[in-house]
Amino acid sequence: MSGVGGWSMAGAAAGALFSVGVILIVRGVPVNRRPGLDARLAPYLRDTIAPSRLLASMPRNQTRLSTLLAPLMGDLARRVDRIMGGSASVRRRLQRAGLPPDVEGFRGEQVVWGALGGAVGSALGLLAILARGASVMPVVLLVVASVLLGVIGRDQWLSRQARLREQLMLAEFPTVAELLALAVSAGEGATGALDRVCRLSRGELSIELGRCLADARAGANLPTALQGLADRTGLVSLTRFVDGMVIAAERGTPLAEVLRAQAQDVREAGRRAVMEAGGRKEIAMMIPVVFLVLPVTVLFAVFPGFAFLRLTM
């Protein structure tokens, strides 16, 4: 009977998958994919010149499957954005991670991660149905939880990317500040010093300084470009560094001394962070000593005495 129940559950799962496939096919029919008002008005309101039809008809690096799934992916991405919210926070973290601030593309990645999580949950649920005859409701809950874990996992991975990039920038900051101070002491201006440092160094902070230099060369003044650097990152040290450079440029104070002071402050902050991390690790190391090593030591010390007393009695 359990085998019959397992086959019935497998048949129910296959029927559900078939129904989902039919729904996707119906939604993909051209009649159901009529363009909206924005898509119909876009060719008449666009400022750029329309591309040639000959170029538009050329094959692109895009498969038919991706073309068919693009509308569905867009709808799912918009629904995830409405459910999750926090587009400003996502855009901020994308900038901190050094990625393009494409919130819609990030939501699409969340949809893909959710689909992969749902596929893993479905596989595990199908194995549970076939092996142990599990009921449908726990399997459905497992699939839903897997989808949610995939979506939330992509969000957490973005936060981790931003945090790791900021740690790299913080580690590079003292050296970059010293290089800027040396270039300014040699007689170069702030823009020339940034150019020299960007050419001589490699790293995430150098990339951000290169963006500031590009903004300054595009027409923005240097304080505004540096303020964009502070806005794109979430580091307090870089914000203070930008404020010091802006004040030095506006008031005419020696820039080299400001940069050296900033580098020294960052080194002191890094030293304090290392000491705090060492203190936390020391406390964490006491946990296995107190709860594992010490009880075993006491047991080895006390057990022979109890054994001797039992023998004597």
Side-chain angles (χ1 to χ4, degrees), residues 3-4 9 21 26 48 61 68 90 105 123-124 144 170 183-184 191 206 221 232 235 244 246 266 295 312:
V4 176
M9 294 298 176
V26 172
T48 58
N61 295 327
L68 292 175
V90 171
L124 293 177
V144 173
L170 191 61
V184 171
T191 306
S206 301
N221 54 3
R232 286 192 298 269
L235 295 175
V246 170
V266 173
T312 56

Side-chain angles (χ1 to χ4, degrees), residues 231-303:
D231 295 337
R232 286 192 298 269
T233 58
L235 295 175
V236 181
S237 302
L238 276 178
T239 303
R240 289 200 300 263
F241 165 73
V242 169
D243 294 339
M245 288 194 67
V246 170
I247 292 173
E250 291 178 351
R251 299 181 180 179
T253 56
L255 185 58
E257 297 298 330
V258 174
L259 294 175
R260 288 195 183 95
Q262 292 284 344
Q264 186 64 27
D265 291 342
V266 173
R267 286 195 177 95
E268 291 295 333
R271 189 178 295 110
R272 289 194 299 270
V274 170
M275 293 180 64
E276 291 176 0
R280 290 193 296 268
K281 295 296 183 181
E282 184 179 359
I283 294 174
M285 289 173 60
M286 293 297 295
I287 296 176
V289 173
V290 173
F291 292 101
L292 295 178
V293 179
L294 185 60
V296 173
T297 304
V298 172
L299 181 63
F300 273 93
V302 175
F303 181 75

Side-chain angles (χ1 to χ4, degrees), residues 83-100:
I83 294 173
M84 299 290 292
S87 298
S89 174
V90 171
R91 188 177 293 105
R92 170 74 172 167
R93 282 181 293 163
L94 287 172
Q95 291 178 347
R96 288 170 53 193
L99 301 174

Side-chain angles (χ1 to χ4, degrees), residues 195-225:
D195 188 13
R196 184 177 294 276
V197 170
C198 291
R199 286 188 286 106
L200 295 178
S201 59
R202 297 289 183 273
E204 298 295 334
L205 185 56
S206 301
I207 294 174
E208 288 294 334
L209 292 177
R211 292 182 183 178
C212 294
L213 188 61
D215 293 338
R217 289 174 175 173
N221 54 3
L222 186 60
T224 304

Side-chain angles (χ1 to χ4, degrees), residues 159-181:
S159 300
R160 185 175 183 275
Q161 285 179 310
R163 186 169 57 253
L164 291 178
R165 184 170 182 267
E166 289 180 349
Q167 290 177 359
L168 292 176
M169 294 173 65
L170 191 61
E172 298 166 6
F173 178 69
T175 305
V176 172
E178 290 288 350
L179 289 175
L180 286 173

Side-chain angles (χ1 to χ4, degrees), residues 9-23 136:
M9 294 298 176
L17 293 176
F18 179 75
S19 303
V20 172
V22 171
I23 293 173
V136 178

